[in-house]
Amino acid sequence: MTAPVSRLGGGYAESRPDAGPTVRAVLEAAAPGAPGSRLVVVSGPPGVGKTALVERLLPVVPGSVCVDKDAAAGPFVLEAARQDGVPGEGAYGTDRYWRRLRPLEYAGAVATACANLVGRRVVFLAGGWGPELAVPSLWSALGEAVAPARLTVLHLDAPARETWRRRLQTRGSRADSPWFEVFAESVTSLPVWDGAMRLATDGPLAGVAQAAVDALGIDT
């Protein structure tokens, strides 16, 4: 049975995030794509609508596919947390996660995304990224590693707190107080690379999707 990845999404407030191991693993996993292809990293905090946005974009962006990091790696992260006696919402909070599991989680997603950069394909890679978004050298080096394919980073900013809480509740994620307030402050305090295209997520999904299409300059 597949573990419910909606239980993921916490832990930052209880940990000391270390981007280094994941940055190194991702760059080792990256590979060049075809000249006409494009890797679009869709990043942002848990519960802001990354997967929902990509599902909305796939039918309207010609030649596009999705690599969803949580769908691919979430079950093994949750199982590792279970073995450590950690609840799912704290799965990202352990030192073992940051040193050993997160590098595998993201490197695997990047390797799969790069393997799909063929022809004129647009590959959406959905994942939070968190502290790695604050490492400019990662994104410049990743852009070079996937070249001649293009790299674009979309960041979905968190909506107003109560809107965000409702979305987390709707997907079955933890959103009780005061846990939610600590979690929200923790994940939104992480810096975002200034080369990312940032999208507001307070409005309806259709509007967010249109903003993404406009930002990407894609003809649908």
Side-chain angles (χ1 to χ4, degrees), residues 59-82:
V60 298
V61 177
S64 61
V65 298
C66 173
V67 176
D68 188 318
K69 187 270 300 176
D70 281 348
F76 93 75
V77 173
L78 284 168
E79 175 60 19
R82 187 192 67 78

Side-chain angles (χ1 to χ4, degrees), residues 127-201:
W129 292 90
E132 294 81 16
L133 285 166
V135 183
S137 60
L138 165 61
W139 304 105
S140 59
L142 184 59
E144 293 173 0
V146 303
R150 296 169 60 192
L151 170 67
T152 303
V153 178
L154 293 180
H155 185 271
L156 305 190
D157 293 337
R161 291 291 170 89
E162 288 309 307
T163 299
W164 192 6
R165 187 199 300 270
R166 288 193 298 273
R167 290 179 185 174
L168 286 168
Q169 291 171 332
T170 297
R171 77 171 199 167
S173 298
R174 185 176 180 182
D176 57 285
S177 296
W179 183 90
F180 169 73
E181 287 77 12
V182 175
F183 156 77
E185 179 62 30
S186 178
V187 297
T188 56
S189 67
L190 297 170
V192 176
W193 176 51
D194 61 11
M197 298 178 179
R198 303 186 68 159
L199 301 179
T201 61

Side-chain angles (χ1 to χ4, degrees), residues 5-98:
V5 296
S6 63
R7 292 172 56 205
L8 290 167
Y12 291 107
E14 295 84 23
S15 70
R16 288 178 291 183
D18 180 4
T22 299
V23 168
R24 292 189 290 272
V26 163
L27 293 179
E28 288 175 4
S37 63
R38 187 174 189 178
L39 174 59
V40 179
V41 171
V42 182
S43 63
V48 297
K50 298 183 294 293
T51 299
L53 172 63
V54 173
E55 289 175 349
R56 189 71 175 248
L57 293 175
L58 287 174
V60 298
V61 177
S64 61
V65 298
C66 173
V67 176
D68 188 318
K69 187 270 300 176
D70 281 348
F76 93 75
V77 173
L78 284 168
E79 175 60 19
R82 187 192 67 78
Q83 293 181 13
D84 289 342
V86 175
E89 62 268 18
Y92 295 157
T94 67
D95 288 340
R96 181 161 80 110
Y97 172 74
W98 289 98

Side-chain angles (χ1 to χ4, degrees), residues 203-218:
L205 180 58
V208 180
Q210 186 59 56
V213 168
D214 292 343
L216 293 171
I218 293 174

